[in-house]
Every structure is written in structure tokens, then in C-alpha cells.
Amino acid sequence: MIVVGLVWAVRTLYVLGQDRRWAWWILPSPVAVIAAVLLMPPATFLDKSGEFETIAIALLEQPGSTVEELEIGQFDISSAHVVRPGEVYFIDNDSMFITSSGWAYSPAGAPSGFDDFSATHLGGPWYEFAAVCVTDKSSGP
């Protein structure tokens, strides 16, 4: 693909620079490439779940371990860690303040979660979650 693009670029520069003329074949190639890129659907979480699962299994084998700053495809993960036995949480880097969101690996069923938690099943052992940190107001003013 790169070689074809390079040949196209060299021929185009030659025709435009040397011959100072326009040729019909110059336009279709970049238009086709741009259309293919724009029409290609972005990868979903489930497309990348194999890479996430590799990390989840490694974390389950080493209790107490955490992985920080992951980048898997277009997904930017601030941390991945085991919250409960059999549940690995991948926290999206876009989480802010008292809100956490991301994906949970829970092969035994719906994850139990933490704080004010909601999860949507994506397929297999995967869930997308959102959680809001709940402060305990009974312990003080």
C-alpha cells in the first residue's frame, strides 16, 4: 500500500511539475483513500477486548498489582486493577472528579462494582461501567 502511494505521488509530481498538465488519473486515488478512511468504522471495545483480556488475566494472577497508563487502540486507560476476586476494572482516562467510567472484566457474571455503580453487559465477560464516588456523611459534618 505504501509503495503504491509512493509511486502515485512520484508520478503525480512528475506530471504536474515536469509536464505542467493535469491528468485524469491524479484525482481518483486520493479520493478513494480518503473515502475509505472516513467510511471505515472506528474499532469498538469488543474489537480490542482480546488485548484487554490479556492484561486482566495477568492482573488476576498477581493479586494486588496495578497497571498504570495503558493505551490499547484508541482507548486511553489511566489504571487497571483488581477490585474484588475475579473482577478487573479498567478506568478510562477521561474519568474526572468523583466519577469513574471504563470497562470491567468479570467472567463470573455482573460485576459487584463500587460506590454508586451501574454496568452494561457488552458480551462475554465484559461490562461497561460508570460509578460516582459516594461520600459517607454519617461520619462527620
Side-chain angles (χ1 to χ4, degrees), residues 30-44:
V31 168
V33 170
I34 291 169
V37 168
L38 293 176
L39 295 176
M40 187 182 319
T44 65

Side-chain angles (χ1 to χ4, degrees), residues 87-140:
E87 295 180 10
V88 178
Y89 291 82
F90 292 85
I91 310 298
D92 189 2
N93 205 28
D94 289 338
S95 298
M96 42 189 347
F97 305 115
I98 61 169
T99 335
S100 293
S101 61
W103 301 271
Y105 176 79
S106 182
S112 53
F114 49 92
D115 296 326
D116 184 10
F117 183 86
S118 64
T120 304
H121 187 240
L122 297 175
W126 291 105
Y127 295 81
E128 187 168 16
F129 75 86
V132 177
C133 180
V134 179
T135 56
D136 184 11
K137 296 188 182 204
S138 63
S139 62

Side-chain angles (χ1 to χ4, degrees), residues 57-97:
I57 291 170
L59 287 170
L60 288 172
E61 290 173 353
Q62 298 177 356
S65 60
T66 299
V67 179
E68 303 282 336
E69 302 302 323
L70 294 169
E71 202 170 301
I72 301 173
Q74 76 268 25
F75 300 99
D76 195 12
I77 309 299
S78 63
S79 66
H81 53 277
V82 178
V83 172
R84 290 182 178 67
E87 295 180 10
V88 178
Y89 291 82
F90 292 85
I91 310 298
D92 189 2
N93 205 28
D94 289 338
S95 298
M96 42 189 347
F97 305 115

Side-chain angles (χ1 to χ4, degrees), residues 15-66:
V15 167
L16 293 176
Q18 192 72 9
D19 294 349
R20 299 188 194 285
R21 65 181 170 91
W22 179 259
W24 66 268
W25 56 265
I26 292 174
L27 196 55
S29 296
V31 168
V33 170
I34 291 169
V37 168
L38 293 176
L39 295 176
M40 187 182 319
T44 65
F45 175 82
L46 291 177
D47 293 335
K48 297 293 183 180
S49 66
E51 294 176 55
F52 279 89
E53 188 163 8
T54 301
I55 295 166
I57 291 170
L59 287 170
L60 288 172
E61 290 173 353
Q62 298 177 356
S65 60
T66 299

